[in-house]
Amino acid sequence: MRVEFTSDGLTLAGDLRMPAGAGPWPGLVFTGPFTGVRDQVTGLYAARLAERGYATLAFDHRNWGGSEGLPRHHEDPQGKLHDLRAAVSFLRSRPEVDAGRIGAVGICLGGGYALKFAAFDPRVRVFAGIAGAYNNPYAMRGVDLAPYFEALERQDLGGPVEYLPAVAEQGEAAMPGDEPHAYYGGERGATPLWSNEVTTASVLELLTMDNMTGSDFLSPKPALIVHGVVDRFCAPEGAEEVFKRLDQPKRIVWLDAKQHIDLYDREPYVTQAVDATAGFLSEHL
C-alpha cells in the first residue's frame, strides 16, 4: 500500500506492507543504502519480512525518490534520523500495528542510521543491521576534505548545487568501481525513482558522520548484525567493532558472501539474512 507521512514539513513517500490475516502486528521501519530508494533493497527486505509476520514500512528519505526535499539527491544525516522518527510515529499510529513492538532494520548505509536512531529512541525495541556501513569519522582521518568545501563555498556564493555520478565503472563517482555499478547501473537496481547523481557535498557527509557511536548507547536493547565475510564497501571490521561495543543481548551472523551487493538481491544470501533477522526478531520483538 502506497502511503505518505510528513517529516519536518516534508511529505515522504512509503510502501506499507501487512502480513496476511488479522493484526495488530509488530512493526519494522527500514532505511537503506546510500542513494537507494524504497523499491530497491529496502523494499525487497520489507516484502520478505512482511511475509514473516511483520508490518513493514520502506520509504524514501527526504531529497530522494518520491519524497520531497531539496537539494535533490543529497545526503542529510540529521534529516534521515528525523525521517526515521517520523516513520515510527506513522507506523505506531496505524491500527494494524502493535505500537509497543517496533524495530528498526538498516541495510548498508542504513545499518549505521538504524543503529544510531534505535540507540536514542525509546519507542524502538530492537535493531538489526544487514551488510551495514557503520560510519566513523576516525576511520576517515587523513582524507582531503578541501575539494568538498570548495564546492560548498561556490554554492554559498550563489553557484548551483554541484553533482557527481553516484556510480561509474571507471572515473569519478561517489561509489566508483564495477561492484556498485553492477547493481545500480543495470537491471538489478533499475527503477524510475533512482537517478545516477548525488550532490558533491553528500560525500563530505559520508566522511564526517558518526553513526558508530550508536553502538555505545543501544544496549540493553537487542541487536543483530548480519554481514558478509568479504565486503569491500562495508568492511567486516566495522561490523565486528559495533558488535564488540554492544552489550548483551546481541548476535552476529556471518554469511559466506563475497561481494557487498550480494546481500542486496542475490540468493541464497537474502534468504539467509531474512531468516536470521526473522529468527532474532521472534525472540526479542
Side-chain angles (χ1 to χ4, degrees):
M1 178 195 324
R2 166 70 187 272
V3 296
E4 293 182 342
F5 59 97
T6 60
S7 176
D8 296 336
L10 299 171
T11 299
L12 306 187
D15 293 315
L16 181 65
R17 295 174 171 89
M18 296 291 176
W25 305 101
L28 302 174
V29 293
F30 290 78
T31 179
F34 178 49
T35 80
V37 293
R38 71 184 191 276
D39 56 356
Q40 293 173 328
V41 180
T42 54
L44 174 61
Y45 277 91
R48 295 289 299 273
L49 283 162
E51 295 172 355
R52 305 295 287 268
Y54 298 91
T56 65
L57 178 60
F59 66 96
D60 292 332
H61 281 284
R62 65 184 65 194
N63 310 332
W64 302 97
S67 292
E68 294 182 339
L70 295 173
R72 300 304 297 167
H73 312 131
H74 174 66
E75 190 71 16
D76 181 349
Q78 196 61 40
K80 280 192 166 183
L81 295 173
H82 288 194
D83 296 346
L84 285 165
R85 183 194 69 211
V88 168
S89 297
F90 172 78
L91 200 56
R92 281 166 48 91
S93 76
R94 300 288 302 196
E96 312 97 320
V97 176
D98 183 343
R101 300 170 67 198
I102 302 293
V105 180
I107 306 101
C108 185
L109 187 63
Y113 281 119
L115 173 65
K116 189 171 184 179
F117 170 67
F120 296 106
D121 193 322
R123 303 172 301 168
V124 179
R125 286 183 49 184
V126 63
F127 155 76
I130 301 169
Y134 305 103
N135 291 50
N136 178 354
Y138 288 101
M140 305 299 179
R141 285 180 294 187
V143 176
D144 182 11
L145 302 181
Y148 307 109
F149 281 96
E150 289 166 2
L152 286 170
E153 183 174 74
R154 290 190 290 270
Q155 292 172 208
D156 290 340
L157 296 177
V161 176
E162 298 186 18
Y163 289 87
L164 73 163
V167 298
E169 285 189 281
Q170 297 180 342
E172 184 182 20
M175 297 181 286
D178 57 347
E179 189 175 329
H181 191 268
Y183 180 80
Y184 291 105
E187 288 301 313
R188 290 172 64 182
T191 166
L193 291 176
W194 187 84
S195 299
N196 190 17
E197 68 171 13
V198 62
T199 65
T200 301
S202 292
V203 180
L204 177 65
E205 299 291 355
L206 296 181
L207 294 171
T208 57
M209 71 172 63
D210 184 1
N211 287 335
M212 178 73 78
T213 189
S215 58
D216 297 326
F217 295 91
L218 182 76
S219 301
K221 291 181 182 178
L224 172 69
I225 305 291
V226 180
H227 215 89
V229 293
V230 177
D231 192 325
R232 290 189 296 137
F233 286 86
C234 296
E237 291 80 5
E240 291 177 332
E241 176 68 14
V242 169
F243 188 72
K244 181 177 71 175
R245 289 162 65 166
L246 292 166
D247 293 327
Q248 296 289 348
K250 61 181 178 178
R251 182 178 303 158
I252 191 164
V253 177
W254 294 105
L255 303 183
D256 190 27
K258 298 302 188 290
Q259 290 191 331
H260 174 70
I261 59 172
D262 283 344
L263 274 74
Y264 280 18
D265 62 345
R266 293 294 199 202
E267 293 295 350
Y269 310 110
V270 170
T271 293
Q272 291 171 349
V274 169
D275 286 346
T277 303
F280 188 80
L281 293 174
S282 70
E283 297 177 33
H284 297 287
L285 190 58

